């Protein structure tokens, strides 16, 4: 038999083809492959015989290649990326075996697979363990793909999706996101890279929630980060943990602002932090305060603390949060990006901060838990700002979560109006006679609507509207539902809590309040005014 090699040509650009792959193609007399990939190399190897069949003609191509080699023609079969990753290598080996050829005679030449070429465009999304899954169900039953997606998400692997979509299977990516969402946060950092190393190369980053609504094609590879993955400007980084282990600081003692592992520090607003603002109280001067939350409370506290002479760092999740904070005008350092717990711990352990304040949204439970734990571990004082539950509290029943409120409602009769959002969808299912007695008000988002429909709410019982709501609007909604029960979070005045409760009370509706999560063991719980006083009095 003549030479038969299976060659991974890399993503498509000549620089990313390995010298060994190039050598094999030079040596070959005939190159066999899918038309699109042959076109990527034709210019460089104009004098070769080329053999191609259409998209689904793999088997025919491979038989042809093996037979040609048997007949004495030096043959190379090519795949894009690596030939052994969703490529032709295994098929060539199988067909060779069938034809009685020793598979040891076939040379497999590795190439840079899409996970790596696309990953490099993004930065370093796959720095540790990761999972690669193809969404193509041509050769693998879809149920198995779902199982693997679930396992990878459950293990918090960064996941790379090959074959994310095609004309026949537009829904696959959305469904994959849905499965992954069970285990990963909706703001998990994700990215799509299209045409890596080829004409029209593009990449874009987004959250997992946004990815579900993205339209991607077969020329794209999708990345879904782990809980540690961060987005830093246009880079996607999954830290390996060096900074934590060896304690080198991002921008701190090293004075090097551009180190990985600290999403925010790379996104400082660039303004000078005054060392000795004239108006500072002497007592607080130089004390450093880290505030989490692009909320009204977060911005307000940052301003007050700045005035009181603290050196303030404000951590916000989004560019929007940063903009609003910048508009508020306090000359504070702003960190942008979702910080994983490991990162918060590292930042606090660095000794840069004397105190940390959690002014995140009261139901941002995940981040609040992370802040409280990290601060306790690092021995940094933590103050958690909680909104007032409201005044007319007499008639309200407090529950720790939606599940226990529903458990109670199952012993009662009458229609229930849920103002607790679509995220609790899995709990609503448990309400007895949900179809008849359950009403829900959610944000006008397709995902939210799908979730509550799946939970079993009737279309005519779903109100999609954007708050905040006036008392009149609440009254109209509760009337429409003929509600006897209202289930709501204690979302504070800002969250429209008061106008819900007042409307309910006037209509004689009983209110079930879901208590905000409590971190009192690890953090000191304060209302906004108390926190302001502590700052002003220099008692942090
Ligand atoms: N053997 C190839 C994979 C073939 S499966 C490899 O190792 O890379 C085809 C899928 O690979 C595509 O649907 C896409 O998800 C991914 N892919 C291949 N080349 C790509 C490129 N240049 N840019 C982006 N994605 C690519």
């Amino acid at each position: 038999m003549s030479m038969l090699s299976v060659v991974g040509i890399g993503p498509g650009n000549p620089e990313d083809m390995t010298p060994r792959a190039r050598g094999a193609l030079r040596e070959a007399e005939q190159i066999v492959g899918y038309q699109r990939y042959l076109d990527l190399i034709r210019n460089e190897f104009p004098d070769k015989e080329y053999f191609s069949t259409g998209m689904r003609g793999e088997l025919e191509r491979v038989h042809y290649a093996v037979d040609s080699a048997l007949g004495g023609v030096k043959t190379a079969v090519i795949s894009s990326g690596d030939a052994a990753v969703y490529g032709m290598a295994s098929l060539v080996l199988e067909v060779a075996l069938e034809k009685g050829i020793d598979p040891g005679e076939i040379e497999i030449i590795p190439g840079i697979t899409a996970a790596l070429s696309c990953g490099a465009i993004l930065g370093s999304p796959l720095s540790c363990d990761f999972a690669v899954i193809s969404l193509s169900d041509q050769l693998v039953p879809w149920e198995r793909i779902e199982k693997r997606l679930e396992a990878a998400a459950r293990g918090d692997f960064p996941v790379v999706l090959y074959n994310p979509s095609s004309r026949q299977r537009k829904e696959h990516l959305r469904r994959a996101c849905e499965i992954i969402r069970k285990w990963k946060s909706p703001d998990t950092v994700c990215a799509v890279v299209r045409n890596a190393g080829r004409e029209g190369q593009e990449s874009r980053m987004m959250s997992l929630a946004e990815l579900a609504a993205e339209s991607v094609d077969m020329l794209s590879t999708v990345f879904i980060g782990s809980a540690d993955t961060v987005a830093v400007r246009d880079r996607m980084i999954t830290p390996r943990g060096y900074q934590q282990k060896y304690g080198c600081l991002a921008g701190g003692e090293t004075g090097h602002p551009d180190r990985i592992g600290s999403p925010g520090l790379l996104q400082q607003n660039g303004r000078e932090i005054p060392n000795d603002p004239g108006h500072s109280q002497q007592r607080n001067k130089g004390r450093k305060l880290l505030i989490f939350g692009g909320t009204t409370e977060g911005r307000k506290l940052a301003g007050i603390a700045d005035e009181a002479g603290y050196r303030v760092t404000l951590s916000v999740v989004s560019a929007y949060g940063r903009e609003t904070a910048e508009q508020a005008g306090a000359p504070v350092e702003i960190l942008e990006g979702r910080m994983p717990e490991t990162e918060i711990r590292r930042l606090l352990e660095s000794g840069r901060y004397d105190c940390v304040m959690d002014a995140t949204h009261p139901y941002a439970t995940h981040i609040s838990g992370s802040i409280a734990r990290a601060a306790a571990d690092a021995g940094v004082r933590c103050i958690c700002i909680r909104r007032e539950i409201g005044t007319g509290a007499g008639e309200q029943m407090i529950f720790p979560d939606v599940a226990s409120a529903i458990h109670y409602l199952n012993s009662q009769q009458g229609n229930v109006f849920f103002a607790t959002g679509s995220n609790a969808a899995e709990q609503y299912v448990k309400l007895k006679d949900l179809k008849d007695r359950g009403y829900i008000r959610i944000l006008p988002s397709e995902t939210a609507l799908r979730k509550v429909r799946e939970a079993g709410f009737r279309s005519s019982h779903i109100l999609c509207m954007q708050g905040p709501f006036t008392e009149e609007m609440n009254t109209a909604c509760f009337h429409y539902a003929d509600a006897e029960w209202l289930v709501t979070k204690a979302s504070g005045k800002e969250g429209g809590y008061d106008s819900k409760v007042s409307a309910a009370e006037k209509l004689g509706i009983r209110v079930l309040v879901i208590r905000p999560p409590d971190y009192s063991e690890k953090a000191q719980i304060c209302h906004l005014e108390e926190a302001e006083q502590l700052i002003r009095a220099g008692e942090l």
Side-chain angles (χ1 to χ4, degrees):
M1 187 179 85
S2 204
M3 158 195 154
L4 178 57
S5 53
V6 190
V7 181
I9 61 166
N13 50 335
E15 308 83 60
D16 283 336
M17 184 188 291
T18 67
R20 190 168 152 212
R22 182 161 282 117
L25 296 183
R26 274 200 194 119
E27 198 189 330
E29 293 161 326
Q30 170 179 259
I31 303 179
V32 175
Y34 175 47
Q35 192 61 49
R36 191 196 290 272
Y37 303 149
L38 295 182
D39 291 343
L40 290 170
I41 57 167
R42 246 180 240 279
N43 282 348
E44 193 177 340
F45 306 97
D47 54 343
K48 308 289 176 187
E49 285 287 322
Y50 283 92
F51 179 83
S52 174
T53 54
M55 182 83 146
R56 301 274 154 71
E58 288 97 347
L59 202 54
E60 186 192 342
R61 253 180 349 241
V62 169
H63 275 282
Y64 179 84
V66 175
D67 291 341
S68 309
L70 277 174
V73 184
K74 291 181 184 172
T75 301
V77 177
I78 64 161
S79 278
S80 80
D82 182 85
V85 180
Y86 313 118
M88 303 303 287
S90 56
L91 186 56
V92 173
L93 292 170
E94 286 172 65
V95 169
L97 269 172
E98 238 176 64
K99 295 188 190 263
I101 299 168
D102 173 5
E105 284 191 49
I106 296 164
E107 194 182 15
I108 310 290
I109 299 176
I112 302 179
T113 188
L116 306 185
S117 55
C118 299
I121 290 168
L122 296 169
S124 186
L126 310 175
S127 323
C128 312
D129 307 326
F130 63 93
V132 173
I133 297 174
S134 164
L135 294 192
S136 168
D137 59 354
Q138 309 257 328
L139 304 171
V140 179
W142 178 251
E143 296 72 48
R144 196 187 302 168
I145 298 174
E146 287 203 352
K147 239 185 181 162
R148 290 181 178 175
L149 286 166
E150 174 124 21
R154 195 171 181 167
D156 192 29
F157 288 93
V159 182
V160 187
L161 299 178
Y162 282 60
N163 299 307
S165 174
S166 73
R167 233 168 293 140
Q168 302 90 45
R169 44 194 158 85
K170 280 262 169 276
E171 280 297 285
H172 281 188
L173 180 61
R174 192 184 62 72
R175 177 72 191 124
C177 289
E178 223 169 63
I179 294 166
I180 290 174
R181 255 299 276 124
K182 288 198 224 156
W183 301 97
K184 291 187 189 250
S185 143
D187 52 6
T188 302
V189 179
C190 295
V192 177
V193 179
R194 185 166 188 273
N195 274 326
R198 302 177 190 160
E199 217 181 289
Q201 172 180 310
E202 53 183 300
S203 66
R204 51 193 198 278
M205 293 214 284
M206 64 210 70
S207 67
L208 179 54
E210 290 163 339
L211 176 65
E214 275 287 305
S215 71
V216 294
D217 63 10
M218 285 297 277
L219 306 174
S220 307
T221 298
V222 171
F223 290 74
I224 297 161
S226 73
D228 287 334
T229 305
V230 291
V232 181
R233 301 212 185 104
D234 58 347
R235 306 246 101 177
M236 180 172 179
I237 307 172
T238 304
R240 281 191 64 200
Y242 279 116
Q243 307 235 43
Q244 239 169 298
K245 177 152 185 196
Y246 301 111
C248 40
L249 289 181
E253 269 90 307
T254 62
H256 191 311
D258 274 351
R259 302 181 68 107
I260 65 158
S262 186
L265 283 168
L266 300 178
Q267 305 237 335
Q268 294 171 6
N269 67 356
R271 271 189 257 173
E272 277 289 302
I273 302 159
N275 278 332
D276 184 14
H279 52 262
S280 73
Q281 286 185 2
Q282 212 46 33
R283 186 161 28 176
N284 301 331
K285 200 178 122 200
R287 288 184 60 78
K288 297 181 203 85
L289 179 60
L290 173 61
I291 301 177
F292 282 89
T295 51
T296 324
E297 290 97 324
R299 289 193 298 275
K300 189 162 181 209
L301 290 171
I304 294 174
D306 175 65
E307 261 174 43
Y310 288 92
R311 286 181 62 172
V312 183
T313 305
L314 180 64
S315 165
V316 301
V317 172
S318 60
Y320 172 77
R322 169 144 72 136
E323 251 170 54
T324 347
E326 278 174 359
Q327 278 161 13
V332 301
E333 177 186 31
I334 295 177
L335 310 181
E336 178 189 320
R338 191 176 72 93
M339 255 194 245
E341 188 169 330
T342 47
E343 193 50 39
I344 300 174
R345 182 170 289 123
R346 197 193 57 70
L347 208 59
L348 295 178
E349 279 172 351
S350 73
R352 284 183 77 202
Y353 297 101
D354 300 295
C355 180
V356 54
M357 280 190 163
D358 167 19
T360 56
H361 190 273
Y363 288 90
T365 52
H366 186 70
I367 180 76
S368 288
S370 297
I371 296 167
R373 274 189 301 271
D377 291 350
V380 175
R381 182 173 177 194
C382 178
I383 292 178
C384 175
I385 315 300
R386 282 289 164 253
R387 295 176 179 175
E388 293 279 0
I389 285 205
T391 41
E395 285 300 296
Q396 299 156 22
M397 289 177 279
I398 312 278
F399 290 85
D401 48 34
V402 174
S404 43
I406 287 179
H407 184 73
Y408 170 80
L409 287 167
N410 280 341
S411 66
Q412 305 292 325
Q413 307 219 316
N415 291 356
V416 182
F417 192 97
F418 289 100
T420 27
S422 61
N423 282 341
E426 278 158 30
Q427 307 300 331
Y428 300 137
V429 185
K430 297 182 193 137
L431 180 74
K432 262 196 230 148
D433 305 324
L434 174 75
K435 258 207 158 27
D436 296 324
R437 57 191 295 233
Y439 284 77
I440 190 162
R441 187 167 69 191
I442 51 169
L443 286 172
S445 104
E446 278 159 28
T447 325
L449 182 58
R450 184 165 34 78
K451 275 195 202 161
V452 300
R453 274 221 173 105
E454 280 171 12
F457 284 95
R458 249 184 222 176
S459 295
S460 58
H461 290 201
I462 304 172
L463 287 78
C464 289
M465 39 171 79
Q466 172 98 46
F469 302 103
T470 57
E471 190 185 307
E472 290 76 18
M473 181 58 109
N474 284 323
T475 309
C477 291
F478 302 160
H479 243 314
Y480 171 76
D482 196 14
E484 290 184 33
W485 305 95
L486 165 68
V487 185
T488 175
K489 295 174 183 171
S491 48
K493 198 162 187 280
E494 299 84 346
Y497 177 77
D498 290 358
S499 52
K500 266 184 275 194
V501 172
S502 52
E505 282 177 351
K506 282 184 191 156
L507 295 173
I509 293 173
R510 301 287 308 271
V511 184
L512 280 64
V513 180
I514 311 302
R515 190 176 56 211
D518 185 3
Y519 298 101
S520 49
E521 273 171 38
K522 299 198 185 287
Q524 178 183 351
I525 310 285
C526 273
H527 292 308
L528 184 61
E529 297 71 29
E530 294 171 281
E532 287 175 23
Q533 272 167 20
L534 287 176
I535 294 175
R536 290 208 172 96
E539 282 175 9
L540 290 186

